[in-house]
Amino acid sequence: MASTIAEKILSNHCGKDVRAGDISVCDVDFCFGQDGTSSIVIDSFRKLGLGKVFDKNKFCMVIDHSAPSPNIGVSEIHKKMRTFAKEFDLGLYDSGCGVCHQIVPQYGHVTCGDLVLGADSHTCTYGAINVFSTGVGSTDIAITLASGKNWFKVPETIKVIVKGKLPVGVYSKDIILHIAKDIGSNGATYKSVEFYGEAISDLSVDARLTISNMAVEIGAKIGIMEADNKVLKWVAGKSKRAPKPVQADIGARYVAVKEYDISKLSPQIAKPHAVDNVSDVGELAQQRIDQAFLGTCTNGRLEDLEIAAKILKRNKVNPEVKFIIAPASREIFLEASKKGLIDIFIEAGCVVVGPGCGPCVGTHNGILADGEVAISTANRNFKGRMGNPNSFIYLASPATVAASAIKGSIADPREYKKRLS
Amino acid sequence: MKKAKRSKARKAVNKKKKLKVAEEVKAPVLTQHFARRLKVQDNINTDYVISGRYKFRIQDPKELCKHIFEDIDPEFAARVRKGDILVAGENFGCGSSREQAPQSLKTAGFYAVIAKSFARIFYRNAFNIGLMLIECNTGFIDDGDTVELDIERGKLKDVSKGLVFDVKPIPYVMKKLLEDGGVIEHFKKYGGFSFHEQT
């Protein structure tokens, strides 16, 4: 019988043929926690009382959400993670290494066809490299750390086909915001979303990661894509394990098929306080901003920094705006530095902070004051997300954020068409 | 006046609860609770349940639970009493995977959360730590209503309004985790998962 990608990957990991709706206990290829979730992973692991991990090579912890620590409470959690890592000889990426969703694929912990769990909701990011990866809670990670397994309900699948050629100044972030507007924040709840179409194939792997990253924002369990040559080239040399690309069969069962043509798509903006509250950039032209942020697991990769640098080169950030930039990993930071991007940012008046989540989760690196407005490349604009419930967050692509930082209000990056084409 | 009436009614509920062993999730026959309805109903994300401002630096659930829903209803946490039921709309618990969200609700004293629908990660996390979630039409339940739960028969009665609703049956796996007191206890009891062959 024909299978979806989700059905195939879960079948491969439980040793029997499973279908949407089945419960399966599967072998998990890799799992991890970050500094907002690992404390409970550690507590739950100790409660299990087994005293040993299943396979130390199938787990790591990343200190990224509040790194370096802004206060004593967080410092104690970081210390607890370091102590635990030493005790069981586990991988730990400490402050300054980068965001977990950049670290995990970049260091080759995952490859095509894998089944991966992370104690972070944006674990769905690696769907772009053909991985069944999904976010779970800390106790689920503790169970997998101890046993190498976890249970899964095989999800139903929605097929999304993205057609057309992206206009200049419009990016993968705009595609996923456009899809979020249409499907809604719970439109894909419990489901797998498979992405297809020429618009997806045309994207770089970096740009595809942005789309899969936000699958959870429409409620999805995974947002997965096929492994084409770009993906196979991307994973080659990163993981020691051979990729096992998985495709859906012809005739696989989809609960819905959605088609989008992005040929005429405008830059998209998610308005406060919901990710599916999306408008075309033109509708928000008068909206003043106090802060701009470029970074995160959504848009903190080299390509994102390059796009922003094109716009910022020989330009100045508006004096009324603080523009904060956090590269997604140390390697990206270094590469950006070698390419002269960091010089461009600093000369433009940006604040470049260490690799990590930056101000995305509102613990440090740029907390907003009452009434302040931010435009960010992150994936969430919930009330209070950036540390102050009386502030306002707009989400957009790196190009829109950079253009807005210069103007001091929400700006259309197509004004820089020549630089971007 | 209204407050005094509620307080009296609460005492009556508490008295009844003692007899019904409301703390035990195992095979509840019939339990009575106060409904605590949030002002915002749909798409309550886990940042709203417990803000990142607190969850990144506070490890003690008793401290954390004082801040539940602070960004959307700052007075809410102080009104919660042990045994209350939280009432919400669609897609409750969307967003971040933080387990501190269901843990804070459980520690705050909630017996269960009733919503029209739940987001995936929160749903799993709640049963993993032994917090019951019930899917049901919540549109008619007001804050302060007394509700009666009959999980076995799949019924929820709004005693204050005299309305009875069907609740969606709790899936087998979730029921099992709940009966065992959460996934850790379940795992310890069976040395793994007990539901290998269940569909």
Side-chain angles (χ1 to χ4, degrees):
Chain A
M1 210 174 126
S3 303
T4 61
I5 299 179
E7 287 169 337
K8 272 196 187 173
I9 294 182
L10 291 178
S11 295
N12 291 346
H13 286 80
C14 73
K16 61 178 182 183
D17 200 22
V18 289
R19 298 278 141 199
D22 290 348
I23 301 290
S24 57
V25 175
C26 295
D27 294 321
V28 175
D29 294 302
F30 194 76
C31 67
F32 66 93
Q34 34 89 341
D35 53 337
T37 55
S38 289
S39 172
I40 300 178
V41 174
I42 295 165
D43 294 345
S44 292
F45 178 80
R46 296 205 191 279
K47 279 182 202 158
L48 281 166
L50 294 176
K52 62 179 174 56
V53 303
F54 175 75
D55 183 346
K56 67 178 179 130
N57 296 316
K58 290 185 173 185
F59 175 77
C60 78
M61 289 180 287
V62 185
I63 294 178
D64 56 359
H65 278 60
S66 310
S69 165
N71 58 53
I72 298 168
V74 170
S75 300
E76 289 298 329
I77 290 171
H78 290 176
K79 188 170 82 177
K80 182 174 173 179
M81 291 168 71
R82 291 186 194 108
T83 308
F84 184 68
K86 271 188 196 146
E87 184 181 343
F88 291 94
D89 191 23
L90 302 166
L92 176 83
Y93 294 95
D94 213 321
S95 299
C97 287
V99 187
C100 56
H101 303 310
Q102 183 60 29
I103 295 290
V104 166
Q106 183 188 300
Y107 285 95
H109 292 300
V110 299
T111 191
C112 310
D114 272 359
L115 176 58
V116 172
L117 290 179
D120 188 284
S121 60
H122 293 110
T123 302
C124 51
T125 307
Y126 335 127
I129 54 168
N130 198 232
V131 176
F132 187 118
S133 54
T134 193
V136 291
S138 303
T139 298
D140 265 322
I141 294 297
I143 294 277
T144 306
L145 174 62
S147 69
K149 293 177 191 297
N150 214 316
W151 72 272
F152 297 81
K153 184 173 182 185
V154 184
E156 295 176 317
T157 300
I158 297 174
K159 186 176 194 173
V160 168
I161 304 162
V162 190
K163 291 178 174 169
K165 197 169 163 54
L166 267 180
V168 176
V170 184
Y171 299 91
S172 64
K173 178 64 158 285
D174 302 304
I175 297 179
I176 190 64
L177 287 176
H178 178 63
I179 293 173
K181 180 186 184 177
D182 180 58
I183 293 184
S185 65
N186 62 348
T189 298
Y190 305 136
K191 295 187 175 63
S192 160
V193 177
E194 289 180 10
F195 291 98
Y196 296 94
E198 54 176 317
I200 302 292
S201 309
D202 285 349
L203 294 173
S204 68
V205 174
D206 274 9
R208 292 180 202 180
L209 288 162
T210 303
I211 291 181
S212 289
N213 173 270
M214 292 189 69
V216 67
E217 306 309 329
I218 52 171
K221 191 170 192 162
I222 61 169
I224 200 158
M225 300 175 188
E226 287 184 336
D228 61 4
N229 285 335
K230 281 185 196 171
V231 169
L232 292 172
K233 204 175 154 194
W234 196 93
V235 299
K238 287 192 176 74
S239 177
K240 285 178 194 154
R241 290 176 295 115
K244 309 167 289 288
V246 174
Q247 286 182 320
D249 293 326
I250 295 165
R253 198 183 155 269
Y254 297 99
V255 289
V257 179
K258 294 258 178 191
E259 284 194 18
Y260 301 91
D261 186 340
I262 47 77
S263 309
K264 292 193 175 109
L265 189 67
S266 298
Q268 303 286 292
I269 309 234
K271 298 170 286 183
H273 299 287
V275 182
D276 57 358
N277 185 22
V278 174
S279 285
D280 284 358
V281 69
E283 294 168 43
L284 298 159
Q286 301 304 316
Q287 178 59 55
R288 128 199 106 75
I289 58 160
D290 302 289
Q291 182 163 305
F293 172 44
L294 169 65
T296 76
C297 52
T298 319
N299 277 126
R301 285 174 280 273
L302 190 63
E303 187 177 293
D304 303 314
L305 304 187
E306 281 172 336
I307 293 164
K310 277 183 190 168
I311 293 174
L312 287 164
K313 197 171 185 178
R314 294 187 299 277
N315 270 322
K316 292 278 179 220
V317 172
N318 188 290
E320 303 290 322
V321 175
K322 311 170 283 289
F323 191 178
I324 297 155
I325 299 177
S329 75
R330 180 174 283 154
E331 286 68 22
I332 291 169
F333 200 154
L334 197 58
E335 198 60 31
S337 174
K338 284 177 186 167
K339 289 188 161 207
L341 310 182
I342 303 298
D343 287 10
I344 293 172
F345 296 149
I346 292 170
E347 281 165 10
C350 304
V351 184
V352 183
V353 300
C357 301
C360 173
V361 278
T363 56
H364 69 339
N365 278 352
I367 291 166
L368 300 164
D370 282 358
E372 280 195 332
V373 178
I375 188 161
S376 161
T377 63
N379 41 37
R380 288 199 177 124
N381 59 349
F382 302 156
K383 197 179 179 192
R385 175 75 177 183
M386 289 177 83
N388 186 343
N390 302 315
S391 62
F392 303 88
I393 308 165
Y394 291 82
L395 305 177
S397 76
T400 305
V401 167
S404 305
I406 293 167
K407 198 171 186 183
S409 58
I410 289 179
D412 189 332
R414 292 174 297 188
E415 291 169 25
Y416 298 88
K417 228 172 190 171
K418 273 188 187 162
R419 291 181 178 217
L420 296 170
S421 53
Chain B
M1 181 62 202
K2 205 175 172 190
K3 221 172 184 181
K5 202 176 156 192
R6 272 196 189 162
S7 150
K8 203 176 168 188
R10 185 185 290 283
K11 273 180 196 160
V13 168
N14 286 343
K15 202 175 167 187
K16 203 163 187 181
K17 263 194 315 199
K18 269 180 202 161
L19 300 171
K20 302 292 181 193
V21 202
E23 281 78 12
E24 282 290 326
V25 283
K26 249 179 209 176
V29 185
L30 205 67
T31 55
Q32 253 195 14
H33 313 270
F34 264 110
R36 284 286 158 232
R37 188 180 166 98
L38 287 156
K39 285 179 195 159
V40 184
Q41 278 288 289
D42 295 339
N43 300 313
I44 302 286
N45 60 64
T46 52
D47 277 70
Y48 292 169
V49 178
I50 185 73
S51 165
R53 287 201 301 289
Y54 302 112
K55 75 117 182 179
F56 282 101
R57 63 181 169 86
I58 302 171
Q59 294 189 57
D60 181 2
K62 287 194 189 98
E63 277 303 307
L64 260 186
C65 77
K66 292 176 186 167
H67 301 284
I68 54 169
F69 304 113
E70 201 172 277
D71 287 354
I72 53 167
D73 190 348
E75 272 90 55
F76 189 86
R79 294 194 290 133
V80 180
R81 298 288 177 272
K82 194 166 174 57
D84 284 356
I85 273 183
L86 179 65
V87 181
E90 299 282 3
N91 202 25
F92 184 86
C94 59
S96 149
S97 68
R98 61 194 67 176
E99 202 167 296
Q100 290 93 336
Q103 188 59 61
S104 297
L105 296 179
K106 193 181 173 196
T107 309
F110 282 113
Y111 176 78
V113 184
I114 316 176
K116 288 180 185 166
S117 65
F118 292 95
R120 189 192 72 82
I121 306 176
F122 180 84
Y123 192 77
R124 207 174 155 113
N125 281 346
F127 285 96
N128 273 350
I129 62 142
L131 174 68
M132 181 159 55
L133 305 184
I134 296 157
E135 282 183 85
C136 168
N137 179 10
T138 54
F140 297 95
I141 307 169
D142 282 316
D143 188 63
D145 280 3
T146 299
V147 293
E148 206 166 68
L149 258 180
D150 182 347
I151 293 300
E152 289 311 306
R153 283 175 50 232
K155 300 281 177 200
L156 180 136
K157 186 177 177 187
D158 187 325
V159 180
S160 309
K161 296 199 172 68
L163 297 168
V164 180
F165 304 97
D166 285 332
V167 306
K168 216 171 151 183
I170 297 174
Y172 170 81
V173 172
M174 292 346 213
K175 217 170 169 179
K176 190 83 193 114
L177 293 178
L178 207 55
E179 280 170 11
D180 291 335
V183 72
I184 291 179
E185 294 309 317
H186 175 89
F187 207 84
K188 283 164 91 164
K189 185 172 164 185
Y190 295 96
F193 295 110
S194 74
F195 36 78
H196 274 75
E197 303 305 325
Q198 290 289 334
T199 57

